[in-house]
Amino acid sequence: MLRMRSYRPRISAQSTVAVLGLFCLGGCASQVEVDAQFPIPLIEQVPLTVGVLLDEALTEYEHYEEIPEQITWTIRLGAANRVMLEQLLGTMFMMVPVDAVPTADSASEHDGVIKPELEKFEFEVPVRGRDNFAEVWMQYRLKLYEPDGDLIVDWRVSGYGKSEIMRDREGSLNQAAIVALREVVAAIATQFPTQPLVEYWLRERQNQTQVADSSFLISSEDASLINEDSTT
């Protein structure tokens, strides 16, 4: 079960503030580029072609947070977002990159279009004290559209990660973010297809595909019979 908690950077003890004051009078900065490598989920691909829109807000996502008189964090998640979602959605469906959400005037040729968004990102890295763990919580939204632009479902999914701080806080925060991202991957792979509106869309599109395939086979057989008759 996902832990729907909110984690915000904070300093809870006066002693910690004092220590930070000594070392960060001139301002401290930490930067983290979240690692973009994830295991490929072992799932069966749905035989549908789905457009996937990964915009710059997602692929260049950067979380900047300044704690006054203490420390500034810059956490870059853009590359990890791209790799994670292209790999995951490309495993779940026959994925095709698209540049825009479909509309009634500009319909998509695919069975549907998915637009992921990173809605919330929160973290905590204690500087000193008994709690010696970096924690990350993030929330994504997956919007699934019909080819004509009608919104089928707007689904939220969260991930939580925790990593013990060993040698450096940046490395531990990176590891906590990776754990959270992998939890998101697992949730999307197992829970997104089972959402009632998604299940209905999957059945409807697969039935339409089967009918179209059957019509094509019948037409091909009729053509063959016509050709045989013309040669006799």
Side-chain angles (χ1 to χ4, degrees):
M1 180 178 293
L2 302 180
R3 295 178 55 183
M4 298 296 291
R5 293 178 54 192
S6 176
Y7 299 95
R8 300 182 183 277
R10 62 181 182 275
I11 305 299
S12 57
Q14 293 182 352
S15 59
T16 305
V17 175
V19 171
L20 281 171
L22 288 174
F23 290 99
C24 295
L25 288 176
C28 293
S30 290
Q31 298 190 28
V32 176
E33 182 83 32
V34 178
D35 191 16
Q37 296 185 17
F38 305 93
I40 299 175
L42 300 176
I43 54 178
E44 184 177 355
Q45 187 178 69
V46 177
L48 295 178
T49 302
V50 174
V52 175
L53 173 58
L54 303 179
D55 60 15
E56 289 187 357
L58 188 70
T59 60
E60 298 182 11
Y61 186 93
E62 184 176 285
H63 181 86
Y64 177 85
E65 191 159 340
E66 182 178 354
I67 304 174
E69 300 180 1
Q70 296 171 22
I71 192 169
T72 298
W73 285 92
T74 302
I75 304 165
R76 298 184 179 90
L77 277 157
N81 282 333
R82 177 184 289 280
V83 172
M84 174 189 73
L85 290 164
E86 285 184 344
Q87 183 173 284
L88 171 62
L89 296 175
T91 302
M92 295 174 66
F93 305 100
M94 294 181 287
M95 189 193 81
V96 179
V98 296
D99 297 325
V101 170
T103 64
D105 296 329
S106 181
S108 171
E109 61 183 357
H110 310 303
D111 293 300
V113 172
I114 294 176
K115 183 178 185 294
E117 299 174 2
L118 177 50
E119 187 175 41
K120 296 179 182 179
F121 178 86
E122 300 177 4
F123 73 100
E124 183 173 16
V125 183
V127 177
R128 187 180 180 185
R130 294 181 179 179
D131 188 1
N132 199 35
F133 291 88
E135 297 175 285
V136 167
W137 180 80
M138 57 184 67
Q139 180 171 281
Y140 289 81
R141 296 173 70 177
L142 263 65
K143 296 181 179 180
L144 173 63
Y145 296 89
E146 290 279 12
D148 62 2
D150 285 345
L151 181 64
I152 299 171
V153 68
D154 183 353
W155 184 64
R156 288 175 171 83
V157 57
S158 300
Y160 167 76
K162 183 176 183 179
S163 178
E164 186 175 4
I165 298 173
M166 304 297 287
R167 287 180 293 181
D168 64 273
R169 290 176 174 79
E170 291 81 2
S172 298
L173 181 60
N174 175 64
Q175 185 58 39
I178 292 172
V179 173
L181 286 166
R182 289 181 176 179
E183 190 167 276
V184 169
V185 168
I188 293 175
T190 58
Q191 298 175 26
F192 183 67
T194 63
Q195 300 303 303
L197 292 174
V198 178
E199 281 189 322
Y200 178 81
W201 167 76
L202 287 171
R203 288 196 303 269
E204 183 182 55
R205 300 305 297 185
Q206 287 179 303
N207 288 339
Q208 290 177 4
T209 300
Q210 290 172 359
V211 169
D213 290 344
S214 298
S215 298
F216 175 77
L217 290 174
I218 292 172
S219 299
S220 299
E221 290 175 358
D222 290 342
S224 297
L225 290 173
I226 294 172
N227 290 333
E228 288 177 2
D229 291 340
S230 62
T231 57
T232 58

